[in-house]
Amino acid sequence: MTRLTLALDAMGGDFGPCVTVPASLQALASNLQLHLLLVGDPDIISPLLAKADPSVLERLQVVPAESVIAGDAKPSQAIRASRGTSMRIALELIKSGEAQACVSAGNTGALMGLAKLLIKPLDGIERPALMTVIPNQQRGKTVVLDLGANVECDSTMLVQFAVMGAVMAEEVLGIAQPRVALLNIGEEETKGLDNIREASAVLKKTQAINYIGYLEGNDLLTGKTDVMVCDGFVGNVTLKTMEGVIRLFLSLLKSSSEGGKQAWWLKLLGRWLQKRVARRFGHLNPDQYNGACLLGLRGTVIKSHGAANQNAFAVAIEQAVQAVQRQVPDRIAARLEAVLPKSD
Amino acid sequence: MTRLTLALDAMGGDFGPCVTVPASLQALASNLQLHLLLVGDPDIISPLLAKADPSVLERLQVVPAESVIAGDAKPSQAIRASRGTSMRIALELIKSGEAQACVSAGNTGALMGLAKLLIKPLDGIERPALMTVIPNQQRGKTVVLDLGANVECDSTMLVQFAVMGAVMAEEVLGIAQPRVALLNIGEEETKGLDNIREASAVLKKTQAINYIGYLEGNDLLTGKTDVMVCDGFVGNVTLKTMEGVIRLFLSLLKSSSEGGKQAWWLKLLGRWLQKRVARRFGHLNPDQYNGACLLGLRGTVIKSHGAANQNAFAVAIEQAVQAVQRQVPDRIAARLEAVLPKSD
């Protein structure tokens, strides 16, 4: 097994090192091949490492960074002033070959822009896209992109997203001839925006893609498609809506066995049954699939939810590990050559 | 109590008269003031009325229509060829004063276009919007628009939607100074599309609106706002996603007490507890709030889900009843005059 080193933007996200440091220790403890480079302010990070196990600490190194890109900074300005920030240094560690992937919970726009600048897109890709894999009703998985890297998308970008999503589904999830759909407001030909209709026309002619047409929002979880493609604005709002509803249900489920004037044995039995139901819903819990992958780059960059807790950030680290082990960028590059029209 | 007459497009929707006729009988039985004009093919409708109670039938009249607009028809073509269709005749019954509102589960684009043509928008409104009221986590209600009437929206339209939504929340739901938010991919000023940022700038200066800024998809159910405004593409995808997740949860909940090798008494107790949990989720069931109102017209037009079942279509009829009784169009017109800039 080769050495596996990831660079983490330890300062990014709503909670910064208070989440990223414990999550790092958790990831190191559960994966003995893993090495982590924690990029950030040593004065804040070090005290959080004080009680860690020495066997874990020897696979962790703090890389100092002077500053941090604010979550609400305007990406273009943040990128111009990015020298010395934890996010930029973490990405530079991929560029220099010291790390094989990077994880950040920081400003999405800045991460997207800096990654494009430093890691560079693959040949044939105009703009990378944020992709995640969500569990579906059929106990299978659905690849969804773009989740917010590109607020506006033309038809060419949507087609490129479809190709990248299909490669991801086939090479990483192991789905043969993955079905690819465009997210729209109806399944009929005439529905939707111009860019979606144009992308649909191109995908129909692209033999290497198993394009199945339009699907609607309610099909995100039904497993009718293996890949769902949309622009970054719609993808972001949709996924956040889905997560909001799921969290609401899980909290209602948890609270429904509390309170009330029941006998103690009925309460106990009730809790046991709630747990049984919650287990069935558990695979839909957003914390279980945190970490969106910036697809279309020459390296692996994972964006964690800004509000991720320790467990969720550890899941994002695990996503980076898997993307590196499965050589996602190389596989996409190889397939893009075969699928996308030659530019000569 | 004044007489209340609604015109129903009995042929629209995925199931046509098989849903609309039983739903009509259900609505008539539960509201003795209600009169219904069922527009459609008498040869199909009449047999479905054969076993109905005579006291209900005397408040129901079948208005013949030769044809129906297909659900997948291109709206512009459908509107040109709409003479004699059940949808158009139902709308004409409002225009002629024979009905006070219309309900259809048919082609959304055609309904929007025909309603605009026949019923006319209110002064100051460029394009009507589809609005619905969804229940939120705080046991309150949130007005959401546009849900698909306008696939692309400029900032002026978003501002008009905000005004109509605020009037709806204040005058119909009885919320004083309702909070109004724009749906976006982040809460920071710099986020989102140009039309949203422009609408935000205008709303900040509009004193008559209690504008609270941007909210994200996960806030649709949290009750952080009373009115959520977005374009029709995003609104449609978002609401359908939300409904898909809720339906999935309700079905998982229902099935989780079935099967398995439990003692009979454990199964019984299990079902009792599931029911208790389902009751807590029940107010989020999409069937309970079917019926989107086309706001901004000089009359009341309600769009039902195409896939609505009998109960859901009956809920849409009830929405129309309430909109008529609460004089929604008049109240919006009155408030628009005060809020929107004078055109002189």
Side-chain angles (χ1 to χ4, degrees):
Chain A
M1 190 86 195
T2 52
R3 179 172 157 152
L4 186 65
T5 306
L6 308 185
L8 304 191
D9 168 11
M11 310 306 284
D14 298 354
F15 312 111
C18 297
V19 155
T20 59
V21 174
S24 300
L25 296 173
Q26 184 180 330
L28 287 168
S30 66
N31 183 342
L32 301 180
Q33 262 79 43
L34 185 62
H35 289 69
L36 292 180
L37 305 171
L38 258 68
V39 186
D41 185 340
D43 292 342
I44 301 176
I45 296 173
S46 299
L48 294 167
L49 296 171
K51 289 181 185 168
D53 191 308
S55 73
V56 158
L57 280 183
E58 68 189 19
R59 289 180 283 121
L60 182 153
Q61 188 191 328
V62 177
V63 178
E66 298 160 4
S67 53
V68 56
I69 294 176
D72 59 356
K74 199 172 176 177
S76 54
Q77 286 169 0
I79 292 168
R80 273 197 299 276
S82 62
R83 211 159 292 274
T85 61
S86 55
M87 186 189 285
R88 180 167 185 138
I89 293 174
L91 288 166
E92 283 169 343
L93 289 167
I94 305 184
K95 201 183 171 191
S96 67
E98 289 164 82
Q100 289 147 286
C102 161
V103 182
S104 174
N107 188 307
T108 307
L111 184 66
M112 162 80 181
L114 276 174
K116 206 180 152 206
L117 200 73
L118 298 168
I119 319 286
K120 305 286 181 206
L122 294 166
D123 285 338
I125 295 296
E126 274 171 54
R127 308 247 315 160
L130 267 177
M131 179 280 311
T132 199
V133 177
I134 59 170
N136 65 43
Q137 211 174 334
Q138 312 295 330
R139 300 249 149 196
K141 291 184 170 177
T142 306
V143 170
V144 189
L145 71 170
D146 175 27
L147 300 176
N150 308 283
V151 167
E152 282 172 292
C153 296
D154 60 23
S155 61
T156 311
M157 286 162 72
L158 292 175
V159 170
Q160 292 176 359
F161 297 170
V163 172
M164 293 196 289
V167 172
M168 184 75 197
E170 187 157 356
E171 304 281 355
V172 178
L173 301 181
I175 301 167
Q177 289 207 294
R179 296 158 298 173
V180 177
L182 289 168
L183 183 59
N184 204 339
I185 58 171
E187 297 186 16
E188 303 87 19
E189 270 307 305
T190 56
K191 294 273 184 173
L193 300 158
D194 289 344
N195 58 343
I196 297 175
R197 284 198 297 262
E198 284 162 26
S200 181
V202 174
L203 286 170
K204 270 188 199 151
K205 289 186 228 141
T206 308
Q207 297 218 328
I209 299 285
N210 179 15
Y211 174 62
I212 60 168
Y214 301 145
L215 285 178
E216 299 186 63
N218 45 326
D219 286 319
L220 263 169
L221 288 176
T222 54
K224 275 195 196 169
T225 187
D226 303 303
V227 181
M228 187 76 103
V229 176
C230 56
D231 72 50
F233 189 92
V234 170
N236 186 288
V237 169
T238 302
L239 206 78
K240 282 191 179 148
T241 300
M242 204 180 86
E243 291 179 1
V245 181
I246 293 173
R247 282 185 202 282
L248 168 63
F249 264 84
L250 290 174
S251 74
L252 278 179
L253 201 61
K254 206 175 157 199
S255 70
S256 70
S257 63
E258 288 158 11
K261 286 181 195 166
Q262 298 165 8
W264 64 269
W265 60 271
L266 210 57
K267 269 195 188 173
L268 267 184
L269 206 66
R271 264 180 227 158
W272 175 77
L273 275 157
Q274 306 304 354
K275 268 195 193 151
R276 228 178 121 245
V277 177
R279 246 202 322 271
R280 290 204 54 166
F281 295 162
H283 70 290
L284 295 176
N285 187 332
D287 289 346
Q288 301 301 314
Y289 55 89
N290 180 40
C293 188
L294 211 42
L295 283 189
L297 293 169
R298 293 170 196 275
T300 296
V301 178
I302 302 285
K303 166 74 177 80
S304 158
H305 244 308
N309 60 19
Q310 180 183 331
N311 272 327
F313 197 78
V315 170
I317 296 174
E318 179 57 29
Q319 290 254 4
V321 169
Q322 294 203 3
V324 170
Q325 286 177 337
R326 294 176 188 184
Q327 300 171 291
V328 171
D330 292 349
R331 285 173 194 261
I332 290 182
R335 284 287 301 271
L336 277 172
E337 266 183 51
V339 170
L340 288 181
K342 297 283 174 296
S343 55
D344 58 17
Chain B
M1 190 87 194
T2 52
R3 180 170 156 151
L4 186 66
T5 306
L6 308 184
L8 305 190
D9 168 12
M11 310 305 284
D14 299 355
F15 314 110
C18 297
V19 155
T20 58
V21 174
S24 300
L25 297 172
Q26 184 180 328
L28 287 168
S30 67
N31 183 341
L32 302 180
Q33 262 77 45
L34 186 63
H35 289 69
L36 293 179
L37 304 172
L38 258 67
V39 187
D41 185 339
D43 293 343
I44 302 175
I45 296 172
S46 299
L48 294 166
L49 296 172
K51 289 182 186 166
D53 191 309
S55 73
V56 159
L57 280 183
E58 67 189 20
R59 289 181 283 121
L60 182 153
Q61 187 191 329
V62 178
V63 178
E66 299 161 1
S67 54
V68 55
I69 293 177
D72 59 356
K74 198 173 176 175
S76 54
Q77 287 168 2
I79 292 168
R80 272 197 298 277
S82 62
R83 211 158 292 273
T85 60
S86 54
M87 186 189 285
R88 182 172 182 134
I89 293 174
L91 288 166
E92 283 169 344
L93 289 168
I94 304 184
K95 202 184 168 189
S96 67
E98 289 165 83
Q100 290 147 286
C102 162
V103 182
S104 174
N107 189 308
T108 308
L111 184 66
M112 162 80 181
L114 276 175
K116 206 182 151 203
L117 201 70
L118 297 169
I119 319 287
K120 306 287 182 206
L122 294 166
D123 284 338
I125 295 295
E126 275 171 54
R127 309 245 317 155
L130 268 176
M131 178 280 311
T132 198
V133 177
I134 58 170
N136 65 42
Q137 210 174 336
Q138 312 296 329
R139 300 249 150 194
K141 290 184 170 175
T142 306
V143 170
V144 189
L145 72 170
D146 175 26
L147 300 176
N150 308 284
V151 167
E152 283 173 291
C153 295
D154 60 23
S155 61
T156 311
M157 287 162 72
L158 292 175
V159 170
Q160 292 176 359
F161 297 171
V163 172
M164 294 196 288
V167 173
M168 184 73 197
E170 187 158 356
E171 303 282 354
V172 179
L173 301 182
I175 301 167
Q177 289 208 295
R179 296 158 299 173
V180 177
L182 288 168
L183 184 58
N184 203 340
I185 59 170
E187 297 185 18
E188 303 87 19
E189 269 307 305
T190 57
K191 293 274 183 173
L193 301 158
D194 289 344
N195 57 344
I196 297 175
R197 283 198 297 262
E198 283 162 25
S200 180
V202 174
L203 285 170
K204 269 188 201 150
K205 288 186 230 141
T206 308
Q207 296 218 330
I209 299 285
N210 179 15
Y211 175 63
I212 59 168
Y214 301 144
L215 284 178
E216 299 186 63
N218 45 325
D219 287 319
L220 263 168
L221 289 177
T222 53
K224 275 194 195 169
T225 186
D226 302 302
V227 181
M228 186 77 103
V229 175
C230 56
D231 72 52
F233 190 92
V234 169
N236 186 289
V237 169
T238 302
L239 206 78
K240 282 192 179 149
T241 301
M242 205 180 86
E243 291 178 2
V245 181
I246 293 173
R247 281 185 203 282
L248 169 63
F249 264 83
L250 291 174
S251 75
L252 278 178
L253 201 61
K254 205 175 157 198
S255 70
S256 69
S257 63
E258 288 158 12
K261 286 182 196 165
Q262 299 165 6
W264 63 268
W265 61 271
L266 210 56
K267 269 194 189 173
L268 266 185
L269 204 66
R271 264 179 227 158
W272 175 77
L273 274 158
Q274 307 303 354
K275 268 194 194 151
R276 229 179 121 243
V277 178
R279 249 204 318 273
R280 292 205 53 163
F281 295 163
H283 72 289
L284 296 176
N285 187 334
D287 289 346
Q288 301 302 314
Y289 56 90
N290 180 40
C293 189
L294 212 41
L295 282 190
L297 293 169
R298 294 171 195 275
T300 296
V301 178
I302 302 284
K303 166 75 177 81
S304 158
H305 244 307
N309 61 19
Q310 179 183 330
N311 272 328
F313 197 79
V315 169
I317 296 175
E318 178 57 28
Q319 291 254 2
V321 169
Q322 295 204 2
V324 170
Q325 286 177 337
R326 295 179 188 183
Q327 301 170 289
V328 171
D330 292 348
R331 286 173 193 261
I332 291 181
R335 283 288 299 270
L336 277 172
E337 265 183 50
V339 169
L340 288 181
K342 296 282 175 295
S343 55
D344 57 17

